[in-house]
Amino acid sequence: MADASQSSEACVPLLNATLVPAPDQVVVRLTGDADLSTAPFVADVLTQAGSLGTRQVVVDLGSARFWDCSGLHALARFTRELTVAGRACRIVGAQRETRRLIGMANLAGDLQLDGLPTAPARRVTSTGRTPLREPVAVADGLVAAGHR
């Protein structure tokens, strides 16, 4: 397991990456805040993962928050490069806000997302009102909550 992190100043978002290689795939876990300043770090980590030569790279975004689409564009470029080479990149754990940003950046067709969101059932409290914050249900029994 390899660790990498990016942070040089207090105003720069902290973004960490962990690479977990396996025989047929490597998992890249991104944790923290991603924005324009961390996009080169995201690209470098993805390049490291791709250099391991596995058939598939799985990118776990469950603990990452994207404040703009620059890191997602790096992920889309990486995905296209792997596809051309006959390999695959799969995205798991993307939170609702990240999925929304992917859609707004017109990247949904470029990224292979797992656990597509389903419409959550509306819950009504004893007061007859719908709660303000609800978990977002996603396919395959996974649940993701909104950003803090």
Side-chain angles (χ1 to χ4, degrees), residues 19-129:
L19 301 179
V20 183
D24 198 33
Q25 70 181 20
V26 60
V27 176
V28 178
R29 288 191 184 110
L30 294 176
T31 305
D33 296 332
D35 70 1
L36 180 62
S37 68
T38 62
F41 173 72
V42 171
D44 288 346
V45 167
L46 294 172
T47 298
Q48 287 177 32
S51 72
L52 296 176
T54 58
R55 182 184 62 77
Q56 177 172 252
V57 174
V58 176
V59 181
D60 181 353
L61 300 180
S63 296
R65 289 179 296 216
F66 290 85
W67 298 106
D68 65 26
C69 59
S70 52
L72 296 173
H73 278 286
L75 186 53
R77 278 190 302 276
F78 175 73
T79 299
R80 286 190 296 271
E81 291 169 5
L82 281 187
T83 301
V84 167
R87 298 164 64 197
C89 180
R90 187 167 47 103
I91 312 302
V92 299
Q95 297 181 23
R96 180 175 56 193
E97 289 80 2
T98 300
R99 289 176 184 279
R100 186 178 3 212
L101 186 58
I102 288 168
M104 289 188 306
N106 200 25
L107 294 174
D110 295 329
L111 300 173
Q112 181 185 347
L113 294 166
D114 277 0
L116 298 175
T118 60
R122 301 303 272 172
R123 197 170 39 124
V124 178
T125 65
S126 60
T127 63
R129 297 190 330 216

